[in-house]
Amino acid sequence: MPWSSRKRDQKTDPDDSVHRVSGKGTLSTADEELLRTLYAEHAAPLFHYVLRLTSGDWQWAEDVVQETLLRAWQHPAAFDPARGPARAWLCTVARHLVIDAHRARQARPAEAGGEALERAAEQAPGEDEIEQALQSWAVADAIRTLSPDHRAILLETYYRGRTMAEAARVLGIPLGTVKSRTYYALHALRLALLERGIEP
C-alpha cells in the first residue's frame, strides 16, 4: 500500500511513533509494511540527493538517509497529500540534517592528526621546561668554573658557531692552539657537569 493512501485511511496523533511500536519493541505488521514501502519508494533517490550534499561521503549519506526515513516514520502527518509531495519533505529533512551536521563539525575544534600529535609530543610541557631551566643554570654554573681561555674557545666554536680557523682568527691565536684548547675545554666542562649530576 503506498504511503499516501495508508495515511488517508488512518488517523494519527502528532507523536504516533510511541503507539505504533507494539509491546516488546517490535514493529507491528502495518508499520513494517509502511517502512518497506517508504524505503522502496524514496531511499534510492534520496540517497543520491544526499550523496551530493555530503560531497560524496557514502557513510555520512547513508546515515542521513536512515535518520530521514526514521523521522518520516515518526511524523506521518508530514505526508498528507495536501501538504505536497512526500519526497520534497524527505529532501528538506535530509538537507537540514546535513546542514546541522556540518554546523556541528564547525563548532568542534579540529581533530588533531598524526603530525599535530607528534609536534605536541616534541614540545616540552611545563614540568620539562622547569627541568630545562634548572639544567641550563647548572651548565652555566659549570662554564663559569672554566678558565677564561677555555670559556672564550667554547664561546667562539659552540655558541657563535665559528669554525676552528675562524675562532683562531678572531682570538688571534694559532689554529693548533684553538684545537687543543677546545679539546681540554670540553674535557673540563664534562667533568664540571658530572660533578653537578648532569650526564653530558
Side-chain angles (χ1 to χ4, degrees):
M1 169 188 313
W3 176 266
S4 57
S5 63
R6 183 177 187 275
K7 171 62 188 98
R8 276 184 254 141
D9 296 341
Q10 182 182 18
K11 292 182 181 178
T12 60
D13 61 14
D15 192 17
D16 194 29
S17 60
V18 175
H19 303 293
R20 291 182 297 149
V21 176
S22 62
K24 295 183 178 169
T26 58
L27 293 176
S28 67
T29 309
D31 288 333
E32 194 173 319
E33 179 186 331
L34 171 66
L35 284 175
R36 287 183 195 279
T37 303
L38 186 64
Y39 186 84
E41 288 179 12
H42 302 289
L46 185 61
F47 176 76
H48 292 293
Y49 171 71
V50 173
L51 193 60
R52 287 192 308 268
L53 293 177
T54 59
S55 301
D57 186 337
W58 279 67
Q59 184 176 2
W60 186 14
E62 288 173 351
D63 290 344
V64 169
V65 169
Q66 181 179 3
E67 180 64 25
T68 302
L69 293 176
L70 176 66
R71 289 187 184 190
W73 176 70
Q74 291 172 337
H75 304 285
F79 291 96
D80 185 359
R83 295 180 74 173
R87 192 165 295 160
W89 185 86
L90 291 169
C91 288
T92 301
V93 169
R95 185 171 55 86
H96 287 200
L97 288 170
V98 170
I99 290 169
D100 290 347
H102 181 69
R103 286 178 180 160
R105 287 180 182 175
Q106 286 181 332
R108 283 192 308 250
E111 296 178 4
E115 290 178 22
L117 291 176
E118 287 173 13
R119 281 194 307 269
E122 290 172 1
Q123 291 177 351
E127 189 174 306
D128 289 344
E129 290 174 4
I130 293 171
E131 183 65 32
Q132 287 176 348
L134 291 173
Q135 192 171 25
S136 295
W137 289 338
V139 169
D141 186 46
I143 289 174
R144 276 193 289 274
T145 64
L146 300 178
S147 70
D149 289 339
H150 287 165
R151 278 197 306 266
I153 286 292
L154 293 180
L155 177 70
E156 295 299 326
T157 56
Y158 284 92
Y159 182 71
R160 293 189 177 138
R162 293 194 168 124
T163 64
M164 297 282 184
E166 291 171 340
R169 193 171 44 255
V170 168
L171 294 172
I173 56 176
L175 180 60
T177 305
V178 170
K179 290 180 181 182
S180 65
R181 281 188 189 171
T182 302
Y183 171 80
Y184 288 112
L186 289 175
H187 183 70
L189 180 60
R190 185 175 191 282
L191 290 176
L193 290 172
L194 287 174
E195 289 174 0
R196 286 159 178 78
I198 298 174
E199 184 69 34

